[in-house]
Amino acid sequence: MLNPLKYFRNRTVGVALGSGGAKGLAHIAVLDYLKTEGVPVHRLAGSSIGAVIGALYSIGAMERYRDELLKMDWKELLSLVDPVFPRMGLVEGKKLRGFLSKFIPEKANLEDLPVPLSVVATDYFSGLPVVFTRGNVLDALRASIAIPGVFTPVKYGDSFLIDGGVSNPLPVDVLARMKSGLTIAVNLHPTLPRRFLKKTVREALDSAAMADASAIEDGGAMSSGATAGKDGRWRISNLIGSHRKSKEEKDPAPNLFQIISQAIDIMEYMNTLMILRAFKPAVLIQPDLIDMPTLDFTHASRAIEEGYAACRRVQGQLQRKIKPWI
């Protein structure tokens, strides 16, 4: 049915691609699904892996990257790691940059990309997001993926840049500054990983997730894993209490990389909640990959398959909230 009102509104579609390490391979499926459904992408904003996939999509190399990644085994993936003496990080990142340069030309600049892309990194000293819209694509991506404790930070003037997910894991607000009229966000942190959580914490998060789903459907903001009082402040006593030792449960101690991965997931989950309170996208896509470790890229096919499944779960919203206006 013809919708004459669409000619009086901003019909540009912006997609925010969230951070999440290996989980972010789901972005490949999301962007491909939108193309199949006839939904154009006019603007992109990405943090960390979201910025990488956004750049590959904009430059027209996403499918080639996907095919290459799916063929790689764990030994080939491990070959992209260049360890350094751990003064500021464990991995230098030159080999990963070299791998990305197979798909993104060394001299490619953000301002020349066919689909405008904003790349989010984080200033180490101020903690504020640094959003790149101009300059070398690979340089911006290297800063955006500098996971604390894993990749060495990137020198930036008198400061250093670290992973964009630290300050802005789901850059929906950046799309607003890019003047996107219709926004789609891909959230890789709908809740917390449960592998090392005790039963009481899992139950609290499951209850919160149900409340979040109701709030989104009702047009409200996503709630946190804790409850919120009438004055808007979060009451987290229920979650704090659930962390107490239980004589019946004895969980194995996590290793170094599990600690880093879980800490990052917690940080990005909490920051995402706050972002979605302030900037609600028209459509929120949430792949169910919470148990996939941030640093494990050996399950690329699973992440991509779940990306398609997540899109199918919101197909009705895409039909109602996006397609009538494009």
Side-chain angles (χ1 to χ4, degrees):
M1 180 182 294
L2 181 65
N3 181 8
L5 294 177
K6 70 181 183 180
Y7 298 104
F8 296 94
R9 69 168 294 175
N10 181 351
R11 295 184 290 148
T12 58
V13 179
V15 181
L17 302 173
S19 60
K23 302 178 186 69
L25 299 179
H27 293 319
I28 296 172
V30 171
L31 291 169
D32 184 57
Y33 186 90
L34 294 176
K35 179 180 178 181
T36 302
E37 288 292 302
V39 176
V41 176
H42 303 108
R43 309 275 190 275
L44 287 163
S47 282
S48 199
I49 185 66
V52 173
I53 303 302
L56 291 164
Y57 175 86
S58 182
I59 215 160
M62 187 179 73
E63 289 80 7
R64 206 156 47 87
Y65 170 84
R66 175 200 61 203
D67 295 343
E68 178 92 2
L69 195 64
L70 289 173
K71 290 188 297 184
M72 297 176 73
D73 58 26
W74 69 269
K75 289 183 179 179
E76 291 174 301
L77 288 167
L78 196 60
S79 71
L80 301 178
V81 176
D82 43 3
V84 292
F85 182 78
R87 186 169 70 90
M88 293 193 297
L90 300 174
V91 180
E92 190 171 11
K94 287 185 178 179
K95 287 186 177 180
L96 181 57
R97 180 192 170 112
F99 175 69
L100 290 176
S101 69
K102 293 170 60 175
F103 310 97
I104 301 171
E106 281 281 355
K107 295 184 179 180
N109 289 322
L110 287 166
E111 62 268 30
D112 298 326
L113 293 179
V115 180
L117 168 68
S118 291
V119 174
V120 181
T122 301
D123 186 290
Y124 173 76
F125 289 114
S126 72
L128 296 173
V130 176
V131 181
F132 290 97
T133 58
R134 302 182 63 82
N136 186 270
V137 175
L138 290 171
D139 287 346
L141 296 182
R142 175 60 184 86
S144 186
I145 64 170
I147 300 173
V150 179
F151 288 100
T152 56
V154 173
K155 191 77 172 72
Y156 182 68
D158 295 330
S159 186
F160 293 92
L161 296 179
I162 57 176
D163 195 286
V166 172
S167 60
N168 193 341
L170 190 60
V172 189
D173 59 317
V174 176
L175 290 179
R177 292 198 294 274
M178 296 174 77
K179 302 189 185 307
S180 297
L182 302 165
T183 56
I184 300 169
V186 189
N187 175 24
L188 302 175
H189 297 90
T191 185
L192 286 175
R194 290 158 164 74
R195 183 178 175 188
F196 299 105
L197 298 180
K198 294 186 182 297
K199 181 180 178 182
T200 47
V201 180
R202 290 197 297 268
E203 290 173 347
L205 289 170
D206 287 339
S207 297
M210 292 177 64
D212 290 344
S214 298
I216 292 171
E217 287 299 317
D218 293 340
M222 181 178 284
S223 66
S224 70
T227 56
K230 290 182 179 180
D231 57 357
R233 292 176 296 181
W234 295 353
R235 292 187 283 108
I236 59 173
S237 58
N238 58 327
L239 289 184
I240 293 174
S242 64
H243 276 286
R244 293 172 182 165
K245 284 282 185 181
S246 168
K247 293 181 180 179
E248 292 77 20
E249 293 186 62
K250 291 185 178 179
D251 293 334
N255 62 39
L256 172 62
F257 286 101
Q258 289 168 340
I259 290 172
I260 292 174
S261 180
Q262 179 76 348
I264 291 169
D265 283 332
I266 292 170
M267 171 189 66
E268 296 189 348
Y269 167 67
M270 297 305 295
N271 283 343
T272 298
L273 289 177
M274 291 185 285
I275 290 167
L276 288 174
R277 286 175 181 271
F279 298 91
K280 187 172 183 293
V283 176
L284 181 63
I285 301 173
Q286 303 194 103
D288 183 8
L289 295 166
I290 56 173
D291 61 331
M292 180 177 286
T294 299
L295 304 174
D296 187 357
F297 282 79
T298 61
H299 301 288
S301 59
R302 181 201 158 194
I304 293 171
E305 288 170 8
E306 174 54 26
Y308 284 114
C311 289
R312 289 192 291 269
R313 290 195 291 270
V314 299
Q315 185 174 17
Q317 294 183 43
L318 289 170
Q319 295 288 342
R320 295 193 310 272
K321 298 180 179 181
I322 302 295
K323 295 201 73 173
W325 300 99
I326 58 178

